[in-house]
């Protein structure tokens, strides 16, 4: 093997040696362990409140490797040592309970108390290992199915907003149907490489990327080109997942928790576990939802309630000698924004699922069909999904899981956002008074041309087609084979293989005869875009568990993993089309583009997890070594170690049930993006010059020696459970230090290159996360009130860079805030280049990142009623409002606040940041009220066997408050960006939704 | 691990002490996976053609690349320089910065991403690529002959100089690090003052000419794109078809600029004023005159009226464009009703309206009549209402330099030397042969002939790169007089800023240095 490990060879070698010793020690101990006399015990696990059986509970003998699972009736049989032992029963949703079992006791009933605050969860610690959250050494956030689905969400990202301390989840460019969001966990983790969070579904890494859809061919947003653009406003593909399929989501926030994912963990990891089959007979669930999406906010445009007001405005700003006021110009005080973005069309969703068991096979299957209406005319999102998850017990020692999901969607997102041709609706509104009725048609049935601008926004919305179709399969299978087991130890071999295969098409069409196209040099645009994304991966692991009593519990694991990603993206544009045909090949002018990206990684790892002191002290160490084809040296392994420890302090205060102190250190990385490793002379751009092909070198200089940047995280904190599990408070502080930055640093272009890829420099994220869960009221038959709150603050500072200060992302100039990477300053600062403080230093005018975020959740349950609400608060970020800059310089004063326009113009003329505004907000993210129908009502429906029924009304983003003068301060014109978010350019308006739903169990 | 019903875990290992078949199979799978993954093969760069730059075919691709990419910023150059020269107003309804920044609102153009790299980065990249070609020539297999190497070196040096000329035009007195393309980023080349910039460019062209002259006459050992068809041969600059002729044409322009640039820095000759000629460097003017007369592209006797439609002067070198996939569109067509509108300013409009001059035929008048565009905050655009397009279609070629332009250069040289009669001769060659208008009959004074020359420059070159008029306005000290349309408050930028990224490695000092 032509491989070697760089940098940390001694450390890696030590870790490997420790692991080998642990394995050897464990096996040796097993050989020394005498098998005691055993006996058979039977028992039952029940809900302490009502004695209902608790199926699927794990019952283990403390201090041994023995355990079992309860059946559908909550019953279990277990063979235990002949001495007195302690049994522990665990089930998600209940507080774990340990009970003594006397030496002569043959039967036992264990009552579990509901875990109202849902404090108990299983936390992933390795590729094939987990730990109870009560022993976890990291601040891992776990969301369960109810938290995700109790309010219908356009996509999974929406459902997670405001629920994860440490994460900023925001929409990119408004409320277009089908999604389009980004998540950033614990601050910026890379300046120039792909730092988005890794999504893993049932152990299979999946694609959450986006394919720019080619809207730029119609908008010319990117400097009047027709290529795909980051300003295309595409959705990110986690939108394909059906939230109803999700059992839980676990967020590993950084390297200290996720180093096992190597270079893919730099931006955090979102682990999604889907629902699996359960013991017992089939249980069906049918849920129907009906609702609608409406605009959350509109701009405050100038109104023209009377013809006189229109005439006055016209005479002041538009009239010329050749075009005086004509009364026929007044066509009413048209609600132009509502005409184009009114929304209100019905949306619906149907979910059918079944889970149960037949023979040795447990199954979960689901079907989804949904339609989300768009706010904009001729937009909407249609999705169908189907899932089958099978769990097969091949024998007592071998189990297998097969998880298969297929999704298909049709999305129509319309044309909004930045443009350079005058087509975006808010671009049109910036020059078109509301007394021109854009919905009016001429006698021939055509829409009226806009006498004030280049486009009729309603005509564009109605006649431009923006279909996007996605077919996607995510599948994976794993096998767990118990190679041997004794009373105190076991050895398992697990293997997993997965595939995520997605095909996307975008066939946009702007007819040549609509007004906007008649202004183009090549009227009529048709595009044909295909995007094929294939992720393939597998891993294999050996896991040895030794349970030598309460003071010695060791889990050792080793394994290998492989990940391959393939992306192929041909894209064609036809222009100057004949009427009535939407084919690229009909264009008098045709352009073709394509992109191919292939990346592969391979890793091996070893990990030791050890518990002692009555399982109060947990220590863990592990290392993953990974190589990747995107690195300069494709066969160099880069080590990603991690260490962690937690200690559950014995009770020392009456109110305090338990205090856990924890700390963790870990390192992950971020690989270079595809292409950086190729020398400039092998990275040429072809360009035709009248049929002759020329090649020139890239403006950005590559680095054949490029390597991953490293991301070293240390976190510490505590979890305090109080008042008999009625309250829990967690606090975590962390530091992420990113070194060997993958910089596409701007360099003096006079050198021949505008930027240069290199490793170097350092920045640091420091933050604090607080979360509080309280049950102030918990009455046995009455009111239960649960209050939750989170607080998150992160600050990223540039420590040093090996190049002069530079701009890390595209902006529109100092008036809108320019990004600037400069040592000693916030990594996400906005500056004004018109105000220099010397030698690459400029006045800071704002920041992309908020000062802090908070959320407040309240859940009230009274009898069969359930009321829940979540308030999301962000304070301190800034947004560059280019939308206002469409209105102001026209001198037409079509925003209602004329004084503000005048003021901005003055600030702009003086070189100030006229369009940089506060992005603080408070939003009522979610609210829901549900009512579970009484059994006696249900029983009257004798013709169907309904076991439960629930009615619900819920809303998302129903109320918000912010000082921002644009549509929504949650905005990113350039889509998913590490830093370059916070630019508002005539976006799709944000949406709010209300849904009614009926959930039936059979 | 999932279990079925109630499962009893016995103390005995399943299937004996070990699950032997499972273990064997499992370890075999793991072993195979591990072996298969011992070493990765490199992923090809799917985005780039792979060539051998040390082969004649590789050199050919790179040479064409330099020529093709020299078109990158031509559109911006035309708009910026014409706008600064107050010949046109550029308005784009979707981008306020065209009004507030480009056209000037009383402030200098801010140094932002929007402009910072414009007319700068592509030019230095081209020069760098050209220099890399020169450096690779001795390594090429099969080896080039000494003559071939010399010829290719001469061609590439000419492209280096041409690209630096494009930068110098937009940066003017802000200066240009014209040797930056040969310097490492960490220690960038000094930013030279306008005098040294043009002096350096002229020297590059002279050096290139020497290399070209050292080669054997005949076909060039490399092929240039079709726009260079008129200069695709090796041989003396006076020989029809010689690339050296193109070199000399550029040299004439550069040396003329150098002559005046010496007056625009401290210690040089007296600068021109609105009423006086100043003292441009005579030796440079003489050299410029020699260069004009050395190139076969200069031939006043061959001037003819512009044809309707695209230019097709055989004594010209062009940037060609095409709407074919992979090629570039002509960037300055501006058909009727497009988002970006080009208004000609009042004095230009008056000339067009006066009629009779056939040179106006090459402008495409899109509309005539009052317009309602708002102007910059502090200024108002007069509603002359004439909007134009510069070229017929996306496939129209744009001249780099041509006979008519060289005649204007000759007139400017003669004016600089104080030979007013000769200057008028050149002016009249154009007026009578191209414009089909009567010869100049005005006063034979410096001011009168200068103003006439400025008029001819606009009439002949509006919408073309080179932009002799803004260059002349700068040279003649006339910036603030070009305000007839924009009013007395029309303070505006007459040059683009040095990109902000040039500042850091120079410790914030981007003040140009003079020899």
């Amino acid at each position: 093997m032509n491989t070697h490990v760089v940098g940390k060879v001694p450390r890696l070698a030590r870790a490997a040696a420790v692991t080998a010793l642990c394995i050897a020690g464990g096996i040796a101990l097993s050989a020394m362990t005498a098998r005691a006399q055993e006996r058979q015990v039977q028992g039952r696990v029940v809900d302490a409140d009502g004695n209902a059986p608790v199926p699927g509970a794990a019952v283990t003998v403390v201090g041994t490797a023995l355990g079992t699972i309860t059946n559908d009736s909550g019953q279990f049989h277990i063979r235990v040592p002949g001495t007195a032992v302690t049994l522990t029963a665990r089930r998600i949703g209940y507080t774990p309970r340990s009970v003594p079992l006397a030496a002569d006791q043959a039967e036992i009933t264990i009552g579990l108390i509901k875990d109202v605050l849902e404090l108990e969860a299983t936390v992933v610690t390795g590729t094939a290992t987990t730990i109870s959250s009560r022993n976890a050494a990291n601040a891992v956030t776990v969301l369960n199915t109810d938290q995700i689905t109790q309010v219908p969400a356009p996509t999974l990202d929406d459902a997670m907003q405001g629920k994860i301390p440490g994460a900023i989840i925001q929409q990119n460019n408004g409320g277009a149907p089908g999604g389009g969001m980004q998540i950033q966990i614990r601050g910026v983790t890379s300046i120039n490489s792909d730092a988005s969070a890794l999504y893993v579904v049932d152990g299979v890494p999946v694609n959450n990327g986006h394919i720019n859809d080619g809207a730029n061919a119609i908008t010319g947003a990117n400097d009047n080109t027709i290529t795909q653009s980051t300003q295309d406003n595409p959705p990110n593909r986690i939108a394909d997942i059906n939230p109803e399929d999700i059992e839980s989501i676990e967020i590993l926030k950084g390297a200290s928790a996720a180093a096992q994912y190597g270079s893919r963990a730099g931006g955090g990891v979102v682990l999604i576990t889907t629902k699996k089959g359960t013991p017992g007979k089939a249980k069906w669930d049918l849920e129907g939802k009906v609702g609608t999406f409406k605009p959350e906010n509109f701009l405050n445009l100038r109104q023209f309630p009377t013809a006189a007001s229109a005439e006055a405005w016209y005479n002041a700003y538009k009239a010329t000698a050749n075009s005086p006021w004509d009364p026929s110009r007044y066509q009413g005080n048209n609600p132009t924004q509502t005409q184009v973005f009114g929304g209100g069309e019905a949306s619906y969703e149907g979910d059918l699922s079944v889970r149960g068991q037949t023979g040795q096979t447990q199954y979960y299957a689901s079907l989804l069909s949904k339609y989300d209406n768009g706010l904009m005319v001729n937009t909407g999102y249609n999705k169908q999904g189907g899932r089958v998850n099978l769990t097969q017990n091949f024998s007592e020692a071998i189990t297998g899981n097969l998880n298969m999901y297929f999704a298909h969607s049709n999305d129509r997102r319309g044309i909004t956002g930045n443009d350079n041709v005058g087509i975006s609706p808010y671009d049109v509104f910036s020059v078109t008074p509301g007394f021109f009725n854009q919905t009016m048609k001429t006698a021939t049935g055509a829409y009226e041309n806009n006498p004030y601008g280049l486009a009729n926004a309603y005509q564009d919305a109605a006649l431009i087609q923006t279909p996007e179709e996605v077919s996607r399969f995510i599948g994976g299978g794993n096998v767990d084979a118990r190679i041997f087991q004794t009373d105190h130890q076991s050895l398992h071999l697990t293997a997993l293989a997965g595939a995520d295969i997605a095909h996307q098409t975008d066939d946009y069409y702007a007819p040549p005869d609509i007004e906007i196209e008649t202004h183009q040099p090549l009227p009529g645009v048709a595009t044909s875009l295909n995007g094929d994304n294939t992720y393939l991966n597998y891993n294999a692991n050996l896991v040895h568990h030794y349970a030598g009593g309460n003071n010695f519990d060791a889990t050792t694991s080793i394994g290998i993993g492989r990940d391959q990603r393939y992306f192929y993206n041909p894209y064609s544009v036809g222009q100057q089309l004949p009427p009535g045909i939407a084919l690229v090949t009909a264009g008098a002018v045709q352009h073709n583009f394509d992109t191919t990206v292939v990346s592969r990684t391979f890793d091996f790892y070893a990990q030791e997890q050890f518990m002692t002191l009555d399982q109060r002290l947990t220590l863990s160490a592990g290392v993953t070594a990974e190589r990747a084809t995107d690195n300069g040296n494709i066969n160099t392994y880069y080590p990603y170690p991690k260490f962690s420890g937690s200690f559950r302090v014995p009770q020392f205060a009456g109110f305090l049930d338990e205090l856990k102190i924890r700390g963790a250190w870990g390192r992950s990385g971020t690989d270079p993006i595809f292409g950086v490793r190729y020398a400039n002379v092998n990275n040429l751009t072809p360009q035709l010059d009248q049929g002759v092909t020329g090649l020139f070198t890239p403006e950005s200089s590559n680095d054949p020696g490029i390597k991953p940047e490293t991301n070293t995280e240390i976190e510490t904190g505590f979890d305090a459970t109080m008042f008999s599990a009625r309250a829990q408070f967690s606090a975590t502080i962390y530091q992420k230090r990113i070194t060997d930055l993958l910089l596409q640093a701007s360099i003096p272009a006079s050198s021949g290159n505008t930027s240069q890829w290199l490793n170097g420099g350092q920045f640091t994220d420091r933050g604090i996360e607080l979360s509080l869960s309280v049950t102030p009221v918990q009455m046995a038959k009455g009111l239960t009130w649960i209050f939750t709150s989170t607080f998150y603050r992160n600050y990223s500072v540039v420590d040093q860079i090996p190049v002069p200060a530079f701009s890390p992302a595209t902006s529109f100039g100092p008036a809108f805030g320019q990004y600037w990477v400069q040592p000693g300053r916030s990594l996400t600062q906005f500056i004004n280049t018109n105000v220099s403080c010397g030698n690459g230093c400029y006045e800071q005018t704002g920041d992309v990142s908020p000062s802090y975020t908070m959320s407040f959740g309240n859940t009230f349950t009274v009898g069969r009623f359930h009321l829940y609400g979540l308030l999301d608060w962000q304070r301190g970020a800034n947004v560059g409002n280019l939308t206002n800059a469409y209105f102001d310089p026209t001198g037409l004063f079509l925003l209602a606040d004329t004084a503000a326009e005048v003021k901005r113009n003055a600030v702009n003329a003086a070189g100030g940041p006229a369009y940089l505004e506060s992005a603080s907000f408070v939003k009522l993210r979610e609210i829901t009220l549900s009512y579970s129908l009484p059994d006696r009502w249900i029983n009257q429906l004798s013709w169907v066997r309904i076991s439960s029924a629930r009615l619900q009304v819920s809303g998302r983003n129903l109320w918000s408050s912010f000082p921002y003068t644009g549509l929504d301060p949650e905005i990113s014109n350039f889509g998913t960006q590490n830093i370059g978010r916070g630019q508002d350019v005539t976006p799709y308006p944000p949406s709010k939704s209300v849904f009614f739903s009926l959930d039936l169990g059979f | 691990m999932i279990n079925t019903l109630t499962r009893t875990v016995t103390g005995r290992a399943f299937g004996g002490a070990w699950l032997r078949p499972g273990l064997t199979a499992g370890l075999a799978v793991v072993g195979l996976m591990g072996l298969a993954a011992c070493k990765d093969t490199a992923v090809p760069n799917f985005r780039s053609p792979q060539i051998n730059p040390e082969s004649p075919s590789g050199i050919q691709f790179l040479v064409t690349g330099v020529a093709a990419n020299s078109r990158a910023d031509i559109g911006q150059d035309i708009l910026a320089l014409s706008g600064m020269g107050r010949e046109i107003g550029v308005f784009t309804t979707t981008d306020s910065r065209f009004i507030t920044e480009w056209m000037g609102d009383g402030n200098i153009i801010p140094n932002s991403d929007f402009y910072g790299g414009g007319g700068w980065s592509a030019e230095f990249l081209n020069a760098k690529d050209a220099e890399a070609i020169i450096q690779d020539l001795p390594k090429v297999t099969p080896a080039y002959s000494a003559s071939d190497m010399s010829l290719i070196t001469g061609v590439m040096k000419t492209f280096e100089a041409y690209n630096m000329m494009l930068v110098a035009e937009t940066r003017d007195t802000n200066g240009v690090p014209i040797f930056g393309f040969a310097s490492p980023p960490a220690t960038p080349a000094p930013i030279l003052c306008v005098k040294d910039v043009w002096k350096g460019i002229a020297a590059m062209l002279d050096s290139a000419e020497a290399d070209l002259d050292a080669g054997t006459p005949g076909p060039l050992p490399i092929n240039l794109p079709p726009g260079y068809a008129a200069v695709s041969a090796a041989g003396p600059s006076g020989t029809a078809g010689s690339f050296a002729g193109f070199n000399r044409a550029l040299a004439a322009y550069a040396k003329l600029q150098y002559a005046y640039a010496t007056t625009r820095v401290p210690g040089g000759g007296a600068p021109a004023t609105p009423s006086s000629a100043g003292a441009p460097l005579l030796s440079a003017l003489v050299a410029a005159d020699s260069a004009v007369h050395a190139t076969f592209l200069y031939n006043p006797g061959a001037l003819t009226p512009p044809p309707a439609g695209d230019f097709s002067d055989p004594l010209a070198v062009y940037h060609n464009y095409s709407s074919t996939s992979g090629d570039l569109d002509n960037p300055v067509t501006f058909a009727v009703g497009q988002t970006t509108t080009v208004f000609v300013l009042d004095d230009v409009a008056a000339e067009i309206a006066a009629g009779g001059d056939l040179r106006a035929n090459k402008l495409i008048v899109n509309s005539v009549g009052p317009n309602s565009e708002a102007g910059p905050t502090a200024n108002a655009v007069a509603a002359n209402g004439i909007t134009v397009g510069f070229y017929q279609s996306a496939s129209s070629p744009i001249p780099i330099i041509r006979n008519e332009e060289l005649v204007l250069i000759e007139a400017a040289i003669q004016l600089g030397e104080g030979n007013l009669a000769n200057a008028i001769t050149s002016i009249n060659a154009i007026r009578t042969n191209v414009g089909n208008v009567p010869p100049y009959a005005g006063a034979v004074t410096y001011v009168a002939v200068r103003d006439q020359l400025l008029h001819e420059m606009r009439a002949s070159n509006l919408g073309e790169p080179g932009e002799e008029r803004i260059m002349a306005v700068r040279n003649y000290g006339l910036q603030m007089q070009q305000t007839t349309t924009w009013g007395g408050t029309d303070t505006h930028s007459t040059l683009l800023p040095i990109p902000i990224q040039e500042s850091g490695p120079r410790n914030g000092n981007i003040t140009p240095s003079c020899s």
Side-chain angles (χ1 to χ4, degrees), chain A residues 197-210:
Chain A
L198 172 70
Y199 279 75
V200 178
V201 178
D202 294 324
V204 177
V206 299
N207 160 31
N208 182 37
H210 54 267

Side-chain angles (χ1 to χ4, degrees), chain A residues 1-3 35 38 40 66-69 71 75-77 79 318 320 322 357 360 362 391 393 395-399 419-422 427 454 482-487 492-493 519-521 538 540 542 560 562 589-592 595-598 600 602 627 629 634-635 637 674 677-678 681-684 686-699 746-754 756 804-807 809-814 818 820 833-834 839 842 885-886 889-890 909, chain B residues 1-14 17-19 22-23 26-27 30 33-34 36-51 53 60-62 64-69 71 92-97 99-101 105 107 110-114 120-122 124-125 128-129 177 180-181 183-185 188 225-226 228 320-329 333 335-340 369-372 374-375 377 500-508:
Chain A
M1 287 199 306
N2 180 24
T3 60
R35 180 163 298 143
E38 295 175 344
Q40 184 79 20
L66 304 174
T68 189
I69 306 284
N71 68 9
Q75 295 171 326
F76 67 91
H77 296 266
R79 184 168 290 278
K318 290 296 286 186
T320 65
N322 285 359
Q357 178 174 349
Q360 297 301 304
Q362 293 174 4
T391 302
N393 279 308
S395 70
E396 284 196 16
I398 302 177
T399 58
D419 78 291
N420 279 314
V421 298
D427 190 349
L454 299 172
R482 192 179 71 225
I483 296 171
F484 75 82
Q485 176 164 355
T486 67
D487 290 355
H492 288 254
L493 170 69
H519 293 300
Q520 301 308 306
Y538 65 74
L542 277 172
I560 59 170
R562 177 73 155 167
V589 176
Q590 300 169 29
H591 288 272
N592 303 305
T595 302
T596 302
V597 175
V598 175
R600 292 192 293 264
F602 176 78
R627 65 165 196 249
T629 57
I634 63 171
N635 287 313
Y637 282 89
F674 178 82
R677 63 181 300 271
Y678 303 111
V681 76
N682 295 320
N683 195 31
L684 302 165
Q687 188 174 93
L688 281 179
D689 190 333
Q690 277 242 299
V692 184
T693 300
L695 303 176
F696 53 90
T697 56
E699 287 203 338
S746 299
I747 54 177
S750 61
S751 67
N753 294 102
T754 54
Q756 180 180 11
F806 66 95
S807 175
T810 304
S811 66
F812 295 98
Q818 179 156 334
W820 197 245
T833 51
N834 290 327
N839 198 14
Y842 294 94
Y886 275 70
T890 64
Chain B
M1 187 161 57
I2 305 296
N3 224 322
T4 60
L5 296 175
T6 302
R7 194 184 68 192
T8 300
V9 178
T10 69
R12 295 182 298 277
F14 177 82
W18 297 83
L19 179 63
L23 177 66
L27 292 178
V30 172
M33 286 175 170
C38 274
K39 189 175 178 182
D40 256 321
T41 51
V43 174
N45 186 358
F46 302 104
R47 296 175 180 171
S48 169
Q50 302 298 310
I51 60 165
Q60 178 61 64
F61 277 117
L62 295 170
T64 309
V66 170
N69 202 41
R71 304 174 296 177
T92 194
T93 53
T94 57
D95 197 332
S96 57
R97 292 171 300 187
I99 300 172
T100 57
E101 296 181 359
D105 58 356
N107 294 292
N111 200 332
S112 65
D113 289 349
F114 189 51
W120 184 279
S121 54
F124 280 102
L125 175 66
K128 180 178 169 230
D129 280 358
F181 59 85
S183 305
Y228 297 83
N320 278 0
Y321 296 89
S322 167
S323 54
T324 304
S325 182
D327 207 331
L328 298 182
D329 289 353
T333 48
V336 178
Q338 286 184 21
T339 315
T340 298
N371 70 80
S372 55
T377 310
I500 200 165
Q501 301 300 347
E502 301 290 339
S503 170
R506 296 180 171 88
N507 297 319

Side-chain angles (χ1 to χ4, degrees), chain A residues 831-915:
Chain A
I831 58 152
N832 181 358
T833 51
N834 290 327
V835 184
S836 172
C837 36
N839 198 14
C841 164
Y842 294 94
E843 178 190 52
Q844 182 172 356
T845 50
D847 205 300
V848 179
S849 300
S851 299
Y852 60 82
T853 62
M854 288 189 78
S855 71
F856 305 92
N858 282 289
T859 305
F860 300 93
T861 305
V862 184
R864 298 178 175 280
F865 285 95
H866 178 82
L867 175 65
Y868 155 78
L870 177 68
L871 208 60
D872 198 2
W873 177 23
Q874 169 177 294
R875 183 172 174 80
N878 296 95
V879 168
N881 188 341
L882 198 72
T883 303
N884 276 347
Y886 275 70
F887 285 84
D888 296 352
T890 64
L892 298 174
F893 297 106
L894 285 171
L895 289 173
D897 192 345
T898 302
E901 285 200 74
V902 171
K903 184 178 176 185
R904 284 193 298 264
N905 277 334
V907 174
N908 190 41
Y915 296 100

Side-chain angles (χ1 to χ4, degrees), chain A residues 796-809:
Chain A
S796 307
V797 65
V798 180
D799 300 316
Q800 51 104 354
I801 48 175
V803 292
F806 66 95
S807 175

